[in-house]
Amino acid sequence: MSRLGVACFALAMWTPLAAYAQEDSPAIDVETGGKLKLTRGVSTVEGQGGGGLTPWALITGNETDRGVGGTAHVTGVELPDYSLLSYGAALGLFDRVELSYTRQEFDTRDVGAALGLGRGFTFGQDIWGAKLRVAGDAIYDQDTWLPQVAIGANWKKNDQGAVVSAVGGRDDEGWETYATATKILLDSSLLLNGTLRWTNANQTGLLGYGGNLNDDHELMGEFSAGWLLSPDIVVGAEYRMKPDNLAIAREDDWVDIYAAWAINHHLTLTGAYVDLGSIATFDDQRGVYLSLQAGF
Amino acid sequence: MRMALVCTLSAIIFVAPAFGQPMPPVPPGEETVDAYTISDANAGATPVDGQDLFAAFHGHEGISRIVDGLVEQVQKDSRLTEIFKASDFVRLRRTLKEQFCHILNGGCSYTGRDMKSVHADHGITTAEFNALVEVLQAAMTREGIVFSAQNRLLAKLAPMKRDAVTR
């Protein structure tokens, strides 16, 4: 819990810092701020700007093409048998490049005891991400069907290599690449997103990368839709396909329904109901997702 | 003979607009502007289908209140005062009302200049354009326009960013 405390403290410090950065901006050439609310996305559990479970082509931070921005997030997912904590920070450069780091901690609670790992055994994972916007403007290109498109890559390192190996995972570190397209259909107040991810991560990497059933990277589809209710609120759903590489346990696709509320230009609160399916033989992992993102 | 016909047609098509609609006299309270060709194409967007969106904007009166509110706010918003400093607000109100009415299919003609010429000297950034969107959203909300209807107008205005943002 002390790590959560540090993360919360960091988040609390962020907003005044962001405000300071904005007041200070005339003194330097690089601007901060300028994006419309919600158009930086929220932070995924893996740290990219996007929805809750899948990255979008939007670049994090409030900056436009003339500046820099950043976000920090704390996300908790409370499931019947597990708890996931995710926290991290990301930088947006000129609404073009996004660099992110996120730490994930997956607490197995009583399951840890049942599996002989010890009560409260926690898998940890560090995720470093980079994303490049390559074409289009999701918001302003309203006279064409062409979406905003970005490509990205994540490098992930699990810190429980021995256990990953014991459950049949091949590696305790791995990489994945993805292409993602975001389109806002203002005419019907809809946001649509599709992502193709080339990955071999087991439960996003919390159970390692590659496994005894399959070690190869595979193409996974991820889909989000959002309905814009106001300049501050979007509600929607997401679906994320996942690999199934481990003989010991079936891995399911992930689904959620969410609501995101931009409290102001700096803070966005996201709540969701998630169905993460079966995780390490424990089925029906449905629960609540809560995320607070602060940014400038 | 065919060549002559093509030549005549081309002359009509390309030259006619230049003197097809003469510049109207300068309305009272407005500054003079350099001569330009008046055309609905200058509005930068084609009208929406049907009358429902015009009705959702409370017709001419609603558009008038929204534009008045918008023009009032851009003079107060610290993010926008600089780019509107030299504006002819009397003319801006009139042409914006014409433009919104035309796009909302309210049967108005647009007599202002095209979006590229209008914005050429303002040096507008994306951040300033977004600020303008927020001010317009607020003006529409004050008029009680439902968000989905607001977005249908914004969808028509959005591509104009390509002509309006120059730096």
Side-chain angles (χ1 to χ4, degrees):
Chain A
M1 284 314 280
S2 65
R3 271 188 168 152
L4 179 59
V6 169
C8 281
F9 177 73
L11 204 50
M13 291 304 291
W14 193 273
T15 304
L17 276 175
Y20 174 76
Q22 236 177 15
E23 282 162 18
D24 206 33
S25 62
I28 48 172
D29 284 324
V30 176
E31 296 175 2
T32 56
K35 272 204 187 86
L36 291 165
K37 275 186 269 189
L38 293 174
T39 62
R40 67 178 188 223
V42 299
S43 299
T44 74
V45 286
E46 294 171 296
Q48 304 89 13
L53 300 180
T54 167
W56 292 352
L58 305 174
I59 300 294
T60 204
N62 284 351
E63 87 289 352
T64 65
D65 56 343
R66 296 166 57 85
V68 296
T71 48
H73 79 278
V74 176
T75 302
V77 185
E78 206 57 24
L79 301 168
D81 298 299
Y82 306 101
S83 305
L84 173 66
L85 172 67
S86 154
Y87 52 90
L91 203 60
L93 305 173
F94 306 101
D95 200 20
R96 176 65 60 188
V97 174
E98 178 184 292
L99 303 170
S100 60
Y101 165 76
T102 279
R103 170 80 186 164
Q104 288 185 339
E105 288 172 10
F106 188 69
D107 186 343
T108 60
R109 294 173 7 203
D110 290 345
V111 171
L115 297 178
L117 297 168
R119 186 179 305 272
F121 178 85
T122 297
F123 289 93
Q125 175 175 228
D126 294 301
I127 303 172
W128 299 87
K131 179 162 73 179
L132 175 69
R133 175 183 172 189
V134 292
D137 186 320
I139 302 139
Y140 284 109
D141 286 349
Q142 292 296 319
D143 52 351
T144 159
W145 279 93
L146 291 174
Q148 180 164 326
V149 179
I151 54 173
N154 301 318
W155 188 78
K156 302 174 169 182
K157 174 83 174 76
N158 191 303
D159 57 14
Q160 296 289 355
V163 180
V164 163
S165 190
V167 300
R170 280 285 156 80
D171 286 307
D172 61 359
E173 58 184 56
W175 56 270
E176 57 194 12
T177 55
Y178 61 89
T180 177
T182 305
K183 187 75 192 174
I184 293 174
L185 302 169
L186 264 185
D187 201 31
S188 33
S189 297
L190 287 178
L191 178 150
L192 300 176
N193 191 87
T195 300
L196 282 173
R197 190 192 301 254
W198 180 245
T199 183
N200 68 346
N202 311 318
Q203 300 293 2
T204 80
L206 289 165
L207 297 180
Y209 315 89
N212 40 17
L213 289 185
N214 170 58
D215 192 33
D216 295 329
H217 280 65
E218 296 173 293
L219 212 49
M220 296 290 144
E222 305 174 7
F223 310 94
S224 306
W227 184 27
L228 314 171
L229 295 182
S230 82
D232 317 320
I233 297 174
V234 56
V235 298
E238 295 180 292
Y239 188 92
R240 172 170 172 172
M241 289 167 61
K242 299 196 8 280
D244 190 9
N245 298 332
L246 300 178
I248 197 173
R250 183 188 82 243
E251 179 167 344
D252 289 332
D253 295 347
W254 283 1
V255 188
D256 76 59
I257 51 170
Y258 68 88
W261 172 38
I263 300 165
N264 53 41
H265 278 96
H266 298 299
L267 290 174
T268 305
L269 184 65
T270 308
Y273 178 73
V274 297
D275 182 349
L276 304 189
S278 182
I279 298 177
T281 75
F282 285 75
D283 293 344
D284 302 326
Q285 298 303 315
R286 302 188 188 102
V288 173
Y289 164 117
L290 262 182
S291 180
L292 183 65
Q293 184 207 55
F296 70 95
Chain B
M1 182 57 200
R2 183 170 289 177
M3 197 59 203
L5 190 63
V6 170
C7 282
T8 313
L9 273 176
S10 318
I12 292 169
I13 291 166
F14 292 114
V15 180
F19 54 87
Q21 281 186 281
M23 287 292 293
V26 178
E30 293 187 15
E31 295 159 21
T32 53
V33 291
D34 292 340
Y36 60 93
T37 305
I38 289 175
S39 163
D40 281 341
N42 289 349
T46 54
V48 296
D49 294 326
Q51 290 295 304
D52 62 315
L53 196 56
F54 184 67
F57 272 75
H58 310 147
H60 295 288
E61 291 77 14
I63 291 168
S64 189
R65 284 187 293 265
I66 290 166
V67 170
D68 288 345
L70 172 69
V71 172
E72 194 185 325
Q73 283 305 311
V74 299
Q75 298 174 71
K76 292 179 183 167
D77 194 305
S78 61
R79 300 169 297 178
L80 296 169
T81 45
E82 194 62 29
I83 59 170
F84 281 99
K85 207 163 62 180
S87 295
D88 175 350
F89 291 109
V90 178
R91 179 180 167 85
L92 179 63
R93 268 187 221 100
R94 178 176 64 80
T95 51
L96 264 182
K97 286 172 191 179
E98 286 177 3
Q99 186 185 29
F100 286 8
C101 171
H102 175 71
I103 292 171
L104 294 170
N105 202 13
C108 304
S109 288
Y110 177 68
T111 66
R113 288 178 294 164
D114 68 275
M115 292 303 106
K116 210 172 190 108
S117 316
V118 167
H119 297 95
D121 301 327
H122 290 276
I124 298 171
T125 64
T126 297
E128 288 160 347
F129 197 84
N130 285 342
L132 191 57
V133 170
E134 290 179 352
V135 172
L136 174 57
Q137 284 178 320
M140 292 190 289
T141 299
R142 277 197 303 276
E143 176 62 22
I145 312 298
V146 295
F147 188 63
S148 58
Q150 292 185 19
N151 286 341
R152 287 179 64 193
L153 175 61
L154 291 177
K156 283 286 188 179
L157 303 179
M160 296 175 192
K161 175 176 183 273
R162 289 194 284 263
D163 284 334
V165 172
T166 53
R167 71 185 178 109

